[in-house]
Amino acid sequence: DKLELSVQNLNSSKLKISVTNTLGQVLYSSSFMLSGFLGKFILPTGFLENGMYFLTVSDDIGNIVSRKFIKN
C-alpha cells in the first residue's frame, strides 16, 4: 500500500512529511530535499491499520499544509 504525493514548491527545497493518528501520535516522519518546482513522493502506508490519519507537509520557512486521509 502506498500514497503518492505531488508537491509544488515555490520557496523552499527542504520538506518534511509526517503522518499522525487521531490521537496525535506521529507514526511516520521523513525529510527530503526537493529539486525543482514540482516533486513527487511515495509514502508507504502498508504499516498503517485501517482508519483516519493526518498527513502534514512542512518546509523550512514555516509553511505547513495538513490533510486528512482514510486508509481502508
Side-chain angles (χ1 to χ4, degrees):
D1 296 338
K2 63 183 178 181
L3 179 66
E4 184 174 321
L5 307 172
S6 294
V7 180
Q8 285 185 310
N9 187 31
L10 298 175
N11 300 314
S12 176
S13 59
K14 185 176 181 182
L15 299 177
K16 179 181 178 184
I17 294 176
S18 62
V19 174
T20 56
N21 62 16
T22 55
L23 300 175
Q25 299 168 317
V26 177
L27 304 175
Y28 179 87
S29 182
S30 180
S31 296
F32 67 99
M33 298 298 288
L34 182 63
S35 59
F37 176 71
L38 182 64
K40 289 191 177 183
F41 183 80
I42 303 295
L43 176 70
T45 58
F47 67 96
L48 297 173
E49 296 182 19
N50 291 347
M52 186 171 68
Y53 298 92
F54 297 94
L55 171 72
T56 303
V57 179
S58 59
D59 64 20
D60 55 355
I61 60 172
N63 296 312
I64 300 172
V65 176
S66 186
R67 300 286 186 264
K68 71 177 177 180
F69 70 96
I70 296 174
K71 179 169 187 246
N72 292 325

